[in-house]
Amino acid sequence: MTELDKFDYRLLELLQQNSRLTGTELSAQVGLSSAACLRRVQRLRETGVIERDVAIVSPKVFGKRMMIIVLLTMDRDRPDRYMLMREEFGKMSEVVQCHHVTGAHDFVLRIQVADMDEYSAFVDRVFHEPYIKRYESLAVLGSLK
């Protein structure tokens, strides 16, 4: 991994908030020239420090107004089943984020759906497999960050 200095860390902080900042805008906040900022950002991309740039699209555009956080517990510790679940969750349009975690649960999912009926259909389709021990649904009332 590339060694990072205080300027790199500052650039990364800024780009996490808005990856479309111009060299001039970065320069004003980092204290380097515009060209130096852009060279550093390019190096951060080329070395894999910045893995990818994405657009965060409002779920409302797609009619997905309801966010559900799901804590999922598998029936047994089986690494092959975990890999399969990650692949399956990656293909599901409702699953916006999937985290394989330690602790009492095995997965934390962020599900985006239009309404509770759509979520209910998702639950019926996905969570009633014998290898799933239990799931807990948390409806998101609002987000701060």
Side-chain angles (χ1 to χ4, degrees):
M1 181 71 53
T2 303
E3 212 168 298
L4 305 177
D5 62 19
K6 68 177 184 175
F7 296 112
D8 294 323
Y9 284 111
R10 181 66 181 136
L11 286 167
L12 291 169
E13 287 173 10
L14 293 167
L15 292 171
Q16 284 183 95
Q17 297 302 311
N18 181 358
S19 66
R20 294 188 58 158
L21 290 172
T22 66
T24 303
E25 292 167 327
L26 290 170
S27 173
Q29 296 186 57
V30 173
L32 295 173
S33 72
S34 176
C37 286
L38 293 176
R39 278 194 303 273
R40 283 173 176 263
V41 170
Q42 184 62 33
R43 178 179 50 82
L44 293 168
R45 285 190 175 105
E46 289 171 356
T47 59
V49 173
I50 297 175
E51 294 179 358
R52 59 191 169 137
D53 294 290
V54 298
I56 300 173
V57 179
S58 170
K60 294 174 186 172
V61 170
F62 300 108
K64 307 293 183 179
R65 299 180 186 282
M66 180 173 253
M67 184 188 317
I68 310 285
I69 304 297
V70 176
L71 307 174
L72 181 71
T73 306
M74 304 293 285
D75 187 38
R76 293 183 204 98
D77 280 335
R78 286 193 41 206
D80 60 325
R81 176 54 63 189
Y82 295 141
M83 292 297 291
L84 182 61
M85 292 303 296
R86 287 198 302 233
E87 288 175 21
E88 288 180 26
F89 289 140
K91 296 174 188 173
M92 296 176 188
S93 62
E94 299 92 345
V95 179
V96 179
Q97 291 181 337
C98 173
H99 304 280
H100 187 192
V101 299
T102 63
H105 306 287
D106 298 304
F107 289 96
V108 176
L109 306 172
R110 189 177 109 200
I111 310 293
Q112 201 77 44
V113 290
D115 53 30
M116 196 53 82
D117 289 337
E118 185 177 337
Y119 180 62
S120 181
F122 176 83
V123 166
D124 290 343
R125 189 176 80 243
V126 178
F127 295 150
H128 294 297
E129 298 291 341
Y131 48 83
I132 294 177
K133 183 176 183 178
R134 68 182 299 268
Y135 68 94
E136 183 177 344
S137 303
L138 306 167
V140 175
L141 299 176
S143 300
L144 304 174
K145 224 173 163 179

